Amino acid sequence: MSTNINKIAVLTSGGDSPGMNAAIRAVVRTCAYHNVNCLGVYRGYQGMIEGDFKEMGPRSVNNIINKGGTILKSARSKDFMTAEGRKKAYNHLKKANVDALVVIGGDGSFTGAEIFNKEFNFPVIGIPGTIDNDIFGTSHTLGYDTALNTVVDVIDKIRDTASSHNRLFFVEVMGRDAGHIALNTGIGAGAEEILIPEEDLGLDRLLESLKRSKESGKSSSIVVVSEGDKTGKNVFELKDYVEEHMPEYDVRVSVLGHMQRGGAPSCFDRVLASRLGVKAVEALLEGKSNFMAGILSDKIVLTPLEQAIKGHFEIDKELIRVSDIMST
């Protein structure tokens, strides 16, 4: 391990996700294990600009592995998008004798980290934290598994009502640019149809699918819709369209919204956060920088931040085929 890094700062940025606290805990305790000081940065890049720091030790992260959200808080910083703002952040880090930085967040947070690294040659490692699972270089991002379990649990409850009243429910889940949540939860909850940004089903095909379900004897249906799906302008337009063409259905809409972000992280997310936190700190101590720690084939790997940001994570075509078969 390198000896020229004596203090590492950690921050969470962008939208919160379950597992961020577990990752903070892992970073802090790995630093302690290697006799490196650790500094917590409150409110992401904005806190870095303002010098909102706190020394962190092993006991300061007691009892947070099971908590959702982030104890370091998160904020989106317009100031950090400016050269002046980043210079202030750099000056505060140097004043606090910080030698390297761990950034827990999504592609926007990684973009800021990459620019910061290039401008000041400041060592940085990213940990992917976003429920959308839309980061290249890792099969799972922190919070994704927890979000899947949360959504499936809610859809199971909605199905009880749908079955009791012969209703059709459109359930909108998060996923502005990627349909991973919708596709996996749709299969896991037995949805009759799944609408995702990567596959434009079209209104006519949606009606055909629903009619087939009706003809096959299904008295109720669940359609899982990713918020970024382009089949209609929004999920409420889908509802109006189906009601107009299939008046026999009593149609309802449920937008799950931010409940998907909250809650205690799953065991998978807690273990993943711990592994990624250890890898991030040890990569910095080995002299590596401008990488993201991720997981591929159950192995912890490093991917250049630029690739993580710009790489395209393909939707699993086999899962789409499985979905088509299961909706028969």
Side-chain angles (χ1 to χ4, degrees), residues 48-51 53 87-96:
M48 202 159 80
I49 290 171
E50 297 172 10
F53 304 151
K87 180 63 175 175
K88 287 181 181 177
Y90 175 76
N91 289 339
H92 277 299
L93 289 180
K94 296 310 291 183
K95 185 178 178 181

Side-chain angles (χ1 to χ4, degrees), residues 43 62 82 84 95 100 116 124 149 153 175 180 192 242 296:
R43 296 177 294 114
N62 281 352
T82 67
E84 181 185 4
K95 185 178 178 181
F116 191 73
V124 60
N149 289 312
D153 184 55
H180 301 291
E192 279 66 39
V242 171
L296 291 172

Side-chain angles (χ1 to χ4, degrees), residues 13-272:
S13 175
D16 65 287
S17 63
M20 280 186 165
N21 280 328
I24 293 167
R25 173 181 180 268
V27 169
V28 172
R29 292 195 170 176
T30 306
C31 283
Y33 180 84
H34 290 289
N35 296 312
V36 173
N37 294 317
C38 189
L39 197 72
V41 180
Y42 283 96
R43 296 177 294 114
Y45 291 126
Q46 191 61 36
M48 202 159 80
I49 290 171
E50 297 172 10
D52 193 1
F53 304 151
K54 181 182 178 181
E55 297 282 347
M56 302 186 77
R59 303 290 73 81
S60 67
V61 290
N62 281 352
N63 304 318
I64 68 167
I65 193 172
N66 60 316
K67 297 186 186 301
T70 162
I71 63 166
L72 290 178
K73 310 296 184 185
S74 186
R76 302 187 191 278
S77 175
K78 290 184 178 180
D79 293 337
F80 197 75
M81 296 179 184
T82 67
E84 181 185 4
R86 293 190 293 273
K87 180 63 175 175
K88 287 181 181 177
Y90 175 76
N91 289 339
H92 277 299
L93 289 180
K94 296 310 291 183
K95 185 178 178 181
N97 297 315
V98 174
D99 302 306
L101 179 66
V102 174
V103 174
I104 306 168
D107 55 1
S109 304
F110 290 168
T111 299
E114 186 188 25
I115 293 171
F116 191 73
N117 169 264
K118 287 181 178 178
E119 286 182 343
F120 303 105
N121 194 30
F122 198 87
V124 60
I125 295 287
I127 294 176
T130 168
I131 67 168
D132 289 343
N133 203 43
D134 57 353
I135 303 292
F136 182 82
T138 184
S139 61
H140 289 74
T141 56
L142 294 184
Y144 173 58
D145 184 71
T146 304
L148 293 182
N149 289 312
T150 298
V151 172
V152 166
D153 184 55
V154 172
I155 294 176
D156 286 348
K157 292 176 170 63
I158 288 173
R159 186 176 289 282
D160 291 343
T161 294
S163 300
S164 298
H165 296 275
N166 294 342
R167 285 176 177 160
L168 163 63
F169 267 89
F170 284 104
V171 181
E172 184 186 89
V173 301
M174 284 184 168
R176 186 176 63 250
D177 301 310
H180 301 291
I181 292 177
L183 182 56
N184 282 270
T185 59
I187 294 173
E192 279 66 39
E193 195 57 73
I194 302 167
L195 307 181
I196 58 176
E198 294 87 348
E199 296 281 315
D200 187 1
L201 181 65
L203 290 169
D204 291 338
R205 276 188 59 202
L206 174 61
L207 279 184
E208 290 174 13
S209 176
L210 292 174
K211 286 175 180 176
R212 283 198 305 270
S213 293
K214 195 79 171 175
E215 291 167 0
S216 70
K218 293 181 181 180
S219 59
S220 63
S221 289
I222 299 286
V223 178
V224 179
V225 184
S226 179
E227 64 179 320
D229 175 66
K230 304 299 190 295
T231 304
K233 291 180 181 176
N234 56 56
V235 69
F236 296 99
E237 184 184 78
L238 291 177
K239 170 185 179 294
D240 293 340
Y241 187 84
V242 171
E243 282 183 330
E244 179 184 348
H245 291 84
M246 298 183 71
E248 65 272 23
Y249 263 128
D250 182 10
V251 187
R252 294 287 189 273
V253 170
S254 184
V255 178
L256 301 192
H258 282 78
M259 74 167 68
Q260 295 161 86
R261 285 194 190 280
S266 65
C267 179
F268 180 90
D269 275 328
R270 298 182 197 193
V271 174
L272 178 60

